[in-house]
Amino acid sequence: MLRPLALPFPIEEPTRKAYELLEKVPKGGVIVLVSDEGFPSWAELGPGEIAVYRHAFRKVKQDGCKVIMLTCYEIAGMILGERALSYVDLTGLKYGEDWVQLGFIPGYEAVLAGMIKDLKSIAPVDKFGTPTKDIPMLKNINSIDDYDFLYACTYTAMDVYIRQWGEAALARGVPIVINMLSGTVPLAMPYYRAGTLSAYLNSVIGGAGYEMLIGQPGMGVALLDAQSTAHLLAIGLIIFVQGIFTVRFMTRRR
Amino acid sequence: MSWIRRREICILLYVIPAAIILINHFSGSLGPVTSEIILWASTLATFAILLGVISLFQHHLTVLARQRRGWPYSIILLASFLTTFAFNYIYPTAYDFIINRLLASLQMALLAYVGFYSYTLFFRASGTKNPYVLVLLVAILLGLFYNLPMRDVIWTGWGPLGKWVNDVPNTGGMNALLIGVGIGTLALFIRTILGYEEAYLGG
């Protein structure tokens, strides 16, 4: 914070792919943003969330895409999704025509399963109590056949999204992108390699990479110095302690 | 009315919706009924939240009435709950302050504490002569270097090496784990529809 190191960092292939997939959403396409993160994870997932929101709403402005926001894990996700939205310039966009906030819908997996079959049945009203059947934007949008991009931000197991969306999304060629904690990336690898998970953002480093790709460096890039030094401290401690232990062990043996 | 508490009724309540969803998944012939069942699941989850609140009050009011150990914490919890709940309807600005400034900051601070705990662990538990633990430590170091944003400044090989570890041994292990979980889930489902699994009935 006092003196930024501004060290270079790699933009990972899954991050680049996530950006390209959102960029490829056709004119008038529907982008679904599910915010299921919790407050403790904001420092890690927030940069990616903000960057994806910025990119999605840029697509709304440039290509007339539509954005559906919802949360189904815990209410914190909705609050944080709206925090990410506060970083977006919404000038010229109209609620209900360009984007819609369905709010927190309890039920988690049931909601994820329901939203790809019949969105209006699991969300009869939006966050503000307006019946979804009366929202102009949702007139012809109700199932996975109408979506062009599925995004979820989660701080728990990511396989839930693949379990509920994977088969239908793969059959229709709808990409799934998940913004997740570094600790859950190993779990995502089989799905990523199999193609069920189209791309992912690996925590802060993924978020920072996405910020660079959209040309709006922010919280992610700023956090990288802290992450680098924290990782180096951990590496240093492990090597130092194991080194001392090994020297002591060898000395005793002699 | 004792028949309503019969075990068979509870099993049927599980089996019928499960069968409908399963049949629809393979045939697509029960779409509207499946949508309705999924909507019920969401509605039931809302009632589950209500049930949770009732249980919370029951438990903490009992703690207060009997002055059990730690009863002052129950006062703090109930007062926090009622204040937040009331502010949401009568003074939304205060509600936003509680959620965005107090709750968010406290939860983030709690997770930061886990960070310090991890560093203490690195310092206290890293020394080992057990070869298996050494393998684990090497894997941890590889993972840390791979996730280190400035890894290319130290050595450009960390990226390809970490990617290989992630793509090959990790994916292989995870695939095996997921297949195991899948088979386990299937076995659990069969046990449940046949009435052998009783954990969800409170048995």
Side-chain angles (χ1 to χ4, degrees):
Chain A
M1 283 172 72
L2 297 174
R3 187 178 165 80
L5 301 171
L7 294 164
F9 65 92
I11 298 178
E12 295 176 332
E13 180 229 327
T15 311
R16 219 175 271 282
K17 211 171 158 193
Y19 171 82
E20 285 163 6
L21 287 166
L22 184 48
E23 194 58 33
K24 276 183 198 159
V25 171
K27 284 192 170 136
V30 177
I31 301 163
V32 180
L33 305 176
V34 178
S35 299
D36 280 341
E37 68 271 42
F39 293 125
S41 63
W42 179 247
E44 279 205 62
L45 300 175
E49 179 90 328
I50 294 167
V52 170
Y53 267 64
R54 280 178 164 159
H55 191 191
F57 280 90
R58 189 194 289 175
K59 289 285 291 175
V60 175
K61 283 186 178 174
Q62 284 175 358
D63 299 329
C65 292
K66 311 288 176 196
V67 169
I68 299 172
M69 292 166 59
L70 68 105
T71 296
C72 57
Y73 184 65
E74 63 166 304
I75 202 158
M78 184 188 78
I79 294 160
L80 293 172
E82 287 183 348
R83 185 181 282 189
L85 188 68
S86 69
Y87 287 85
V88 177
D89 177 21
L90 294 170
T91 319
L93 302 183
K94 204 170 173 191
Y95 181 81
E97 287 180 15
D98 297 310
W99 63 285
V100 67
Q101 165 63 292
L102 299 179
F104 172 55
I105 312 166
Y108 199 26
E109 285 207 54
V111 174
L112 295 174
M115 62 175 279
I116 61 163
K117 290 190 179 84
D118 186 359
L119 180 69
K120 291 188 188 88
S121 79
I122 56 120
V125 292
D126 72 353
K127 188 203 165 189
F128 310 102
T130 312
T132 42
K133 63 178 170 52
D134 297 337
I135 295 174
M137 191 193 105
L138 294 177
K139 198 177 168 192
N140 298 315
I141 299 171
N142 198 42
S143 73
I144 188 135
D145 294 323
D146 312 311
Y147 307 150
D148 296 282
F149 187 86
L150 288 165
Y151 162 85
C153 179
T154 177
Y155 77 129
T156 56
M158 50 65 60
D159 55 339
V160 174
Y161 301 86
I162 301 297
R163 197 156 57 226
Q164 300 302 339
W165 296 344
E167 195 184 329
L170 199 65
R172 290 162 183 81
V174 180
I176 300 176
V177 173
I178 300 181
N179 180 9
M180 64 185 94
L181 299 174
S182 285
T184 54
V185 169
L187 178 64
M189 288 316 291
Y191 301 110
Y192 180 62
R193 301 263 296 170
T196 334
L197 174 66
S198 314
Y200 64 87
L201 299 185
N202 177 4
S203 192
V204 181
I205 195 163
Y210 210 101
E211 285 175 354
M212 296 308 287
L213 290 167
I214 61 165
Q216 286 181 289
M219 189 169 122
V221 175
L223 279 170
L224 283 184
D225 281 352
Q227 197 181 359
S228 285
T229 43
H231 273 56
L232 281 175
L233 177 63
I235 291 165
L237 280 174
I238 292 172
I239 295 172
F240 175 70
V241 174
Q242 183 60 42
I244 287 187
F245 188 85
T246 310
V247 169
R248 274 190 190 167
F249 181 67
M250 302 293 275
T251 319
R252 262 186 226 157
R253 278 184 74 179
R254 277 179 205 157
Chain B
M1 290 291 281
S2 64
W3 61 270
I4 206 164
R5 295 174 68 95
R6 280 179 68 96
R7 199 168 149 269
E8 288 80 2
I9 302 286
C10 299
I11 293 170
L12 279 176
L13 283 175
Y14 174 85
V15 171
I16 293 170
I20 291 171
I21 292 171
L22 208 63
I23 292 167
N24 181 62
H25 183 79
F26 290 108
S27 69
S29 58
L30 297 170
V33 189
T34 305
S35 292
E36 195 64 26
I37 290 172
I38 289 169
L39 174 64
W40 286 359
S42 179
T43 312
L44 282 172
T46 312
F47 278 101
I49 293 174
L50 189 67
L51 193 68
V53 171
I54 293 167
S55 301
L56 182 95
F57 269 78
Q58 267 182 344
H59 173 76
H60 286 282
L61 288 175
T62 312
V63 169
L64 279 177
R66 295 184 185 164
Q67 298 235 324
R68 283 188 193 149
R69 207 173 134 216
W71 63 269
Y73 297 114
S74 293
I75 297 179
I76 296 170
L77 187 137
L78 293 175
S80 309
F81 180 90
L82 291 171
T83 313
T84 312
F85 187 78
F87 277 156
N88 187 28
Y89 293 98
I90 56 171
Y91 191 33
T93 314
Y95 173 79
D96 289 343
F97 177 80
I98 290 172
I99 299 294
N100 286 317
R101 302 283 167 204
L102 287 181
L103 185 66
S105 311
L106 284 170
Q107 287 199 351
M108 286 176 196
L110 199 68
L111 195 78
Y113 165 77
V114 177
F116 286 105
Y117 180 81
S118 303
Y119 282 103
T120 314
L121 185 79
F122 288 141
F123 189 69
R124 293 170 66 98
S126 293
T128 181
K129 55 183 177 182
N130 184 328
Y132 297 115
V133 181
L134 272 176
V135 170
L136 181 73
L137 282 177
V138 171
I140 290 171
L141 284 174
L142 274 175
L144 281 167
F145 273 115
Y146 179 56
N147 282 302
L148 182 69
M150 53 172 285
R151 68 186 182 210
D152 290 345
V153 176
I154 299 169
W155 180 47
T156 50
W158 290 121
L161 184 64
K163 192 176 177 320
W164 178 82
V165 171
N166 228 0
D167 286 358
V168 183
N170 166 66
T171 306
M174 278 295 169
N175 270 332
L177 191 77
L178 289 171
I179 291 167
V181 170
I183 293 169
T185 310
L186 204 62
L188 184 70
F189 178 69
I190 292 167
R191 275 177 61 82
T192 310
I193 56 172
L194 293 177
Y196 293 116
E197 185 58 46
E198 294 185 340
Y200 76 107
L201 299 173

